[in-house]
Amino acid sequence: MIICIGNALVDSLQTIEEEVIEQLNLNKARMTLVDKDRSNYLLENMSNPKYAAGGSAANTAYWISQLGGSVGFIGKVSDDILGNQFKESLTSSGLRDLTVFENDDNQTGLCAIFITPDGERTMNTYLGAGEYLSKKDLSDKDINEAEILYMEGYLWDKSSSKDAFLYASSVNKNSGGKNAITLSDVFCVEAHRESFIDLIKDNIDYVFCNEEELNALTLKDSVEGSFNFFEENFPKVEQLICTLGPKGAIVIKDNNQYFYEATEAQVIDKTGAGDFFAAGYLYGLQKNLSIDESAQFANKSAAHVISEIGVRPEKEFT
């Protein structure tokens, strides 16, 4: 089983014109953490939002399940309408629901996502209950079942959830599992660069990122320089899986580089592209597929989700 651990969020998606970015003072094409008041303000400025269970690792878990993989999701929600809808969406999608309810009066997390005509998504995340995931919320029994534990970098911001990551990755390693992490966003990498590096050096087998995140981690100004840095400084990492946007993706294993062109797609909404790419690749790892076959699943999955609005595609996947 693959177990994904991350923020449990409900996504609210709205298509907008480019000028609205400035009107609402949004940080285009980035993830910005917001408080509850700012979140509610942005939601009020969504004329016709589309709601879906979301969060990066939850999106990845969802798509692994749709591909036919065995997967569960660990996160934290409030016992409110949104939280119960989130849990129901997991089970209805065929995932193992490992989420927990928090005891305090916090709202389930929300992510207000604005989509511009170029397909870029601008995310504004109120973490809510999700950011309070802690070590005590984890089940050793569940983690011991993981072939791969996939961790979302977005959850690295709070000390309690950071401790949960470190504990979970240690339990998984000791039981013979593999650990994977997605760097999530340049914002996360810049805020936690040193601790990310320490985590990756000691505990991580698979690193997922895009080229901007990788350059932010290595402090290099080119992806080639970052690859060299990575190979020299992270010898224990089995694979680095780096997306290059419309150019494709590169996988590094045993100091060898494997390049894969992106699958052609009509870009409607880039929300979830990295999450679905990771899902396709993780599915390949779970099924013991080759790097070529895993990358093909990854690229086709990313192309599939960006061809329509939202992270629960309605079109048939081929």
Side-chain angles (χ1 to χ4, degrees):
M1 173 174 285
I2 297 171
I3 292 181
C4 301
I5 177 171
N7 283 310
L9 302 171
V10 174
D11 289 342
S12 177
L13 301 101
Q14 177 70 56
T15 54
I16 59 169
E17 295 303 318
E18 191 71 34
E19 58 267 22
V20 178
I21 293 287
E22 185 173 348
Q23 292 170 9
L24 294 178
N25 193 27
L26 301 172
N27 188 13
K28 185 179 177 181
R30 291 281 183 254
M31 191 286 292
T32 303
L33 292 176
V34 299
D35 60 20
K36 189 175 181 179
D37 290 341
R38 172 69 171 165
S39 178
N40 288 333
Y41 169 76
L42 294 175
L43 287 173
E44 289 169 2
N45 282 274
M46 290 182 155
S47 58
N48 187 30
K50 180 179 180 180
Y51 292 95
S56 177
N59 292 338
T60 296
Y62 164 80
W63 191 241
I64 292 171
S65 74
Q66 300 310 294
L67 291 173
S70 173
V71 62
F73 174 75
I74 298 174
K76 200 165 195 175
V77 296
S78 180
D79 190 3
D80 54 16
I81 293 174
L82 291 175
N84 283 282
Q85 287 178 341
F86 184 93
K87 289 175 70 68
E88 183 180 344
S89 74
L90 295 184
T91 54
S92 65
S93 299
L95 283 74
R96 183 187 291 189
D97 176 17
L98 302 175
T99 55
V100 295
F101 284 127
E102 56 112 27
N103 297 320
D104 299 322
D105 188 24
N106 290 301
Q107 177 181 296
T108 295
L110 273 165
C111 184
I113 303 174
F114 294 88
I115 306 155
T116 39
D118 57 1
E120 288 290 358
R121 82 285 187 270
T122 298
M123 301 184 294
N124 303 268
T125 304
Y126 168 62
L127 296 174
E131 69 173 320
Y132 296 98
L133 185 75
S134 65
K135 177 181 172 181
K136 65 180 177 60
D137 297 316
L138 303 176
S139 163
D140 286 14
K141 179 178 179 295
D142 291 333
I143 296 171
N144 284 332
E145 293 183 33
E147 303 159 85
I148 301 173
L149 181 70
Y150 177 77
M151 298 175 286
E152 174 189 322
Y154 283 133
L155 203 58
W156 198 249
D157 282 306
K158 203 171 184 68
S159 60
S160 60
S161 53
K162 182 177 177 179
D163 289 343
F165 263 25
L166 291 170
Y167 179 76
S169 62
S170 176
V171 170
N172 187 48
K173 271 286 190 183
N174 290 337
S175 65
K178 302 286 189 179
N179 289 325
I181 190 170
T182 170
L183 298 185
S184 292
D185 193 276
V186 171
F187 168 85
C188 294
V189 178
E190 291 176 343
H192 307 292
R193 180 177 178 272
E194 294 303 325
S195 58
F196 267 159
I197 287 175
D198 290 341
L199 174 70
I200 293 168
K201 280 185 175 180
D202 295 336
N203 281 359
I204 302 300
D205 301 286
Y206 306 110
V207 175
F208 291 83
C209 61
N210 63 33
E211 55 186 316
E212 289 183 332
E213 294 157 2
L214 182 61
N215 290 344
L217 183 75
T218 64
L219 296 180
K220 303 298 180 182
D221 56 8
S222 72
V223 71
E224 292 79 11
S226 288
F227 289 154
N228 291 334
F229 178 94
F230 204 92
E231 291 171 352
E232 292 172 2
N233 290 275
F234 300 100
K236 294 181 181 179
V237 173
E238 289 189 20
Q239 294 186 36
L240 169 67
I241 305 100
C242 181
T243 57
L244 308 171
K247 294 177 290 185
I250 289 181
V251 177
I252 295 181
K253 181 180 181 182
D254 297 329
N255 293 329
N256 295 311
Q257 296 184 16
Y258 305 87
F259 173 75
Y260 302 95
E261 292 186 356
T263 301
E264 187 175 343
Q266 181 184 7
V267 180
I268 303 297
D269 171 17
K270 293 182 181 178
T271 307
D275 305 334
F276 274 52
F277 179 93
Y281 202 89
L282 288 166
Y283 172 77
L285 290 174
Q286 185 177 51
K287 297 300 181 180
N288 294 315
L289 301 182
S290 68
I291 291 177
D292 291 356
E293 292 169 318
S294 298
Q296 184 177 42
F297 266 107
N299 275 326
K300 286 187 174 182
S301 295
H304 184 61
V305 74
I306 65 176
S307 66
E308 56 186 285
I309 293 177
V311 290
R312 298 296 181 265
E314 297 178 1
K315 299 176 184 176
E316 184 178 357
F317 178 72
T318 55

